[in-house]
Amino acid sequence: MSELVLTDQNFDQVLTESELPILVDFWAPWCGPCRFVGPIITQIAEERAGVLRVGKLNVDDSANTAAKFGITGIPTLILFKGGKPVERIVGALPKDKLEKQLEPHL
């Protein structure tokens, strides 16, 4: 399953319609740490298909949504469950540490 492209326009709808938890990667193309964590997020999306959905939101293109969730540093990952944020991870973490923080919510 590929990652969802999230925008200001579709963010709320995607979150409310998803029966699975959604991990949202708030990122930007110019962000070095975002480029580091990107492939890890893709790998988690593939390995957890059917249990977890993964979306990416470009903070430059969708500044309203980024502001709504208080994103001040990227990469920031927020795990939403039932449309509500349940876990926030700031910075580029290795895969094992990311999974350890997500696991209790899946």
Side-chain angles (χ1 to χ4, degrees):
M1 175 181 270
S2 64
E3 298 157 343
L4 303 160
V5 176
L6 300 171
T7 64
D8 283 345
Q9 291 71 35
N10 73 358
F11 190 87
D12 290 333
Q13 180 180 358
V14 169
L15 249 61
T16 55
E17 290 178 358
S18 180
E19 294 179 18
L20 296 175
I22 298 181
L23 178 64
V24 179
D25 178 9
F26 292 85
W27 73 288
W30 48 263
C31 166
C34 297
R35 288 196 302 271
F36 168 79
V37 83
I40 296 169
I41 301 301
T42 300
Q43 192 176 14
I44 290 172
E46 291 167 359
E47 292 172 0
R48 301 292 178 118
V51 178
L52 173 72
R53 295 180 79 188
V54 173
K56 294 179 74 70
L57 185 127
N58 182 324
V59 297
D60 290 339
D61 296 341
S62 298
N64 291 337
T65 301
K68 177 179 170 182
F69 291 100
I71 305 302
T72 55
I74 53 174
T76 293
L77 305 171
I78 300 179
L79 180 65
F80 292 86
K81 206 169 178 180
K84 307 260 187 274
V86 294
E87 184 72 45
R88 177 184 281 244
I89 302 164
V90 179
L93 297 180
K95 184 175 181 239
D96 61 330
K97 292 200 171 153
L98 275 176
E99 289 180 319
K100 190 172 186 179
Q101 285 194 248
L102 298 174
E103 198 59 46
H105 306 288
L106 301 178

